[in-house]
Amino acid sequence: MTHQTHAYHMVNPSPWPLTGALSALLLTSGLTMWFHFHSILLLLIGITSMLLTMFQWWRDIVREGTFQGHHTPVVQKGLRYGMILFIMSEVFFFVGFFWAFYHSSLSPALELGGCWPPVGISPLNPLEVPLLNTAILLASGVSITWAHHSLMEGSRKQMIQALSITIALGLYFTILQAMEYYEAPFTISDGIYGSTFFVATGFHGLHVIIGSLFLTVCLLRQLFYHFTSTHHFGFEAAAWYWHFVDVVWLFLYVSIYWWGS
Amino acid sequence: MRGLLVSRSRALLRSFSSSARNLFENKVAEKQKIFQENNDLPVFLKGGALDKMLFNLTMTISVAGTGYSLFFLGWASFPQKNKM
């Protein structure tokens, strides 16, 4: 029987990177099929295999950490670096869309009327639903910090309550934003204003949904006693991601909703 | 109204007591035993029969879908006689 004499994690060979890569192929070719040949079959196959891959890959990580004990301090350090680098890559993703917005809004083209918002666009009032959404996300930042402290102190019930409140606030934001999208007097095809608005806020909304799902998984894991008061990196990663989503919204609110109106 | 006070009602006390509220039991130790068993199974199959089924399903969908996408690529690469 062989035992490792180091603290690092030598993972078992896994099929999920392969199925994930194949899913990416099916998603992209599926989009082509949908856009040009009016068929969603390949896209649906791609989405299914992507969801199956994600579920099983992350399930295996939980098994390796919580059930097999592979997440030693040095391994956890690597996971922290990984999450930080991932979030940084997402920051740059959003920087691109903010660049596009400022490029077009700081020197508005003649065709737009030389002003921002362009002629004919009635922007949303930043002091109505967008301000409420700001308050919601800020409050969710407070509740998730409460959840973290409760977890570190060993207060199981409080942690569950605080995390549930955080998730509920995230869902409330999503619902309000969806209603705003439906009621907005402009669309994505209304020139560069519509494009920058809906692409930037749209990708943000997608990240809110992803963050809410991540937090929900953490809630389930907490209910199943996976987290201890000293070892709960999955939750910390979700909290970092959630704060990142909050900060992006603050930039969106100040730049597009407030300055941009 | 006093009967509605939790501290006076045994029924309410029972439903709010910690023993009744444990809808979730801590089964982590059992899971740890299953996943640390010395059976040489990789982690993605170590949970039981459902693991194998999910793996087969995922692999089949991915590989079959890849085959279909390559077929579609071959088809789309040539000009079609029919009008779209």
Side-chain angles (χ1 to χ4, degrees), chain A residues 34-191:
Chain A
W34 183 37
F35 292 161
H36 296 281
F37 301 101
H38 305 288
S39 166
I40 56 168
L41 177 63
L42 207 48
L43 184 59
L44 288 176
I45 295 173
I47 290 172
T48 309
S49 63
M50 180 188 77
L51 290 172
L52 282 168
T53 299
M54 287 159 87
F55 170 73
Q56 290 171 98
W57 196 334
W58 282 319
R59 174 207 68 189
D60 287 353
I61 293 172
V62 169
R63 287 178 175 180
E64 288 160 359
T66 307
F67 303 147
Q68 295 183 330
H70 283 294
H71 291 180
T72 59
V74 66
V75 170
Q76 205 193 115
K77 199 166 173 211
L79 292 171
R80 285 175 189 275
Y81 275 128
M83 192 65 195
I84 289 167
L85 288 169
F86 172 65
I87 291 177
M88 277 175 60
S89 75
E90 295 253 74
V91 167
F92 284 109
F93 180 70
F94 277 97
V95 162
F97 297 120
F98 277 99
W99 188 331
F101 168 73
Y102 277 112
H103 175 92
S104 299
S105 59
L106 282 168
S107 49
L110 200 64
E111 293 86 349
L112 304 174
C115 56
W116 194 275
V119 173
I121 296 282
S122 33
L124 301 171
N125 186 345
L127 299 175
E128 291 179 2
V129 174
L131 185 60
L132 173 60
N133 274 345
T134 305
I136 288 168
L137 284 185
L138 287 173
S140 72
V142 170
S143 59
I144 199 173
T145 305
W146 171 27
H148 191 194
H149 284 270
S150 302
L151 179 55
M152 290 190 288
E153 286 162 21
S155 314
R156 176 180 167 80
K157 197 177 81 157
Q158 278 207 28
M159 193 280 188
I160 290 168
Q161 281 174 0
L163 185 50
S164 303
I165 288 171
T166 309
I167 295 168
L169 288 169
L171 288 172
Y172 188 26
F173 175 95
T174 304
I175 290 167
L176 283 172
Q177 193 70 328
M179 284 166 61
E180 282 282 275
Y181 270 31
Y182 187 72
E183 300 286 338
F186 53 86
T187 71
I188 195 172
S189 46
D190 282 324

Side-chain angles (χ1 to χ4, degrees), chain B residues 35-62:
Chain B
F35 288 102
Q36 290 179 37
E37 212 187 299
N38 204 11
N39 53 19
D40 282 334
L41 281 175
V43 70
F44 67 96
L45 294 173
K46 220 168 164 83
L50 182 61
D51 285 6
K52 195 106 214 320
M53 283 197 293
L54 270 178
F55 164 73
N56 286 335
L57 176 68
T58 311
M59 206 46 111
T60 307
I61 289 177
S62 304

Side-chain angles (χ1 to χ4, degrees), chain A residues 37, chain B residues 74-84:
Chain A
F37 301 101
Chain B
W75 174 81
S77 301
F78 294 95
Q80 304 302 317
K81 296 182 202 84
N82 49 310
K83 268 198 176 171
M84 274 210 279

